[in-house]
Amino acid sequence: MRIPGSARRRIEAKAMSEHIRNVHVEDAVIALLLRDPEAMLRYEMDAEMFTQPAALSVYERIRACIEQGIVPDRAMLATDLKMQEEYVEKVSSIVLQNPAETYVEKAREYMLRRRLLRASEELARVATSLQEMDPDDLAGFAQTVADSVSKGAAKARRAISRHELACVLFDALSTTQPREVAYTGIHAIDAILEGIEPKTLVVIAATPSTGKTVLMEQIANNLAKTGEICGVMSIETAADRLARRAIAAQTGISTVKMKSGELSEDDFAVLADIANIQHYGRIWYDDRSDVTDANFAMRVRALVSQTGAKNVFVDYLQLIGGQMSDNRRLQIDSVVNAAKELAKELGLRVFLISQLSRQASEYDDTKKRRPRMYHLKESSGIEQAADVIILLERDTSIGERETRFYIDKNRDGRVGSGLLWFDPVRMIFNSNDYTD
């Protein structure tokens, strides 16, 4: 049976609008409500902010209590929400990494996008039948759409210009397509991040000799294998050394054998085949060491312009010199802010490698501290500007080759930790598919 065009568009619009959501944001808002039910009134929440049935049920139950003048506690909600017990238990364990209003405003933005998409579907329907409509009906419809948009803007608690309305509508329609995300290729990390979108600043940080550069290059190689073009600004490591590591990761021939020249005939045969591996041509290196806060943005722009890279890796932040200020903290802040702006302006994924202070590996009451975001060296601006922060720690309590990672910040997404196993021959991290 052939579905009429207008009905088909309505079905497609409804299906597409279901993709305009972020379940992690919704879960974070519910977690906030479970801890502070009165936040519902304080932030003027709306049922349309939730697309998950379980989240909507929790919201409606809390609202019913608030409307009766009752501030529900966890025990009361546990009794009333038996059907959503598993969901409530899951969201109760969420640690909110950002201020509460960040999650609420993001949920409102998704709600507004869904509202705009529904309005756009009606506009498309009318556009195909303008000749059949009475002028008064058309005027009434235009007012209905305007009211719908106005209502959505009011719920967003801010004025929306015509230009912004057009941008949000276009963005809403764009999000109906598959998300343009890239994956690190390391399962334990990807299981938490669920992909990295363009316009994202990722910080990978650790104390010296923990594997920051190895992880960076592994991610670049994995991205290149999927067709992504990567630009690497390697201030610390020479390009030929990085190339040897990339070959070792692909072939299993250790960098020690390549440096010493002690290669067998089989090794030479494998290396000869490297020329046929296309993804190496998608990684471009700039290993000049004269990068400063004054020329950093220019260098990144040049790298992107010359190579078409959409993924830029900087190794590492604290080696970038300073010219614009005598204050080292301000120098680092300037570079981080420039990286953030370039990511947004050029649609890049920027990976900044950073050092952690030695305090991150000190012992406290005979127990080793785990790295925290406040251990980021020489600047607090890194923590503020980054969209994702991954901290690495060599976990010698398990074994010499085990490295634990902590995703302590993931804007609009989950945080968590996991274990990686270092392969010294191939110079890569292997995921044991375990996450906390």
Side-chain angles (χ1 to χ4, degrees), residues 322-342:
Q323 292 183 349
M324 299 174 66
S325 171
D326 295 329
N327 186 309
R328 186 56 180 161
R329 182 183 64 80
L330 294 179
Q331 293 170 0
I332 295 295
D333 285 352
S334 174
V335 173
V336 173
N337 291 332
K340 177 76 170 181
E341 290 304 314
L342 288 166

Side-chain angles (χ1 to χ4, degrees), residues 255-270:
T255 57
V256 175
K257 292 179 70 175
M258 282 187 272
K259 284 191 294 183
S260 65
E262 298 176 356
L263 299 170
S264 66
E265 291 185 7
D266 290 341
D267 291 336
F268 277 113
V270 171

Side-chain angles (χ1 to χ4, degrees), residues 382-393:
I382 305 172
E383 180 181 347
Q384 296 171 4
D387 298 299
V388 175
I389 295 180
I390 304 174
L391 308 176
L392 301 179
E393 175 191 34

Side-chain angles (χ1 to χ4, degrees), residues 394-395 399-403 420-424 429:
R394 186 70 54 78
D395 197 339
E400 290 298 321
R401 296 181 182 178
E402 275 67 31
T403 298
L420 302 173
W421 178 77
F422 179 65
D423 181 341
F429 286 106

Side-chain angles (χ1 to χ4, degrees), residues 40 110 119 132 145 200 202 240 242 245 254 258 277 281 321 331-332 359 370 378-379 386 408:
M40 178 178 293
Y110 280 99
E132 302 171 11
V145 172
T200 299
V202 180
D240 58 348
L242 292 175
R245 290 181 182 177
S254 73
M258 282 187 272
I277 299 178
Q331 293 170 0
I332 295 295
Q359 294 175 338
R370 86 126 162 128
E378 295 183 334
S379 173
D408 274 8

Side-chain angles (χ1 to χ4, degrees), residues 188-207:
I189 293 176
D190 289 333
I192 297 173
L193 293 181
E194 298 182 335
I196 302 172
E197 296 180 326
K199 303 182 180 181
T200 299
L201 175 60
V202 180
V203 172
I204 300 173
T207 53

Side-chain angles (χ1 to χ4, degrees), residues 71-83:
V71 179
D73 56 23
R74 289 290 299 277
M76 181 187 300
L77 290 173
T79 302
D80 293 344
L81 296 169
K82 277 290 183 184
M83 295 291 290

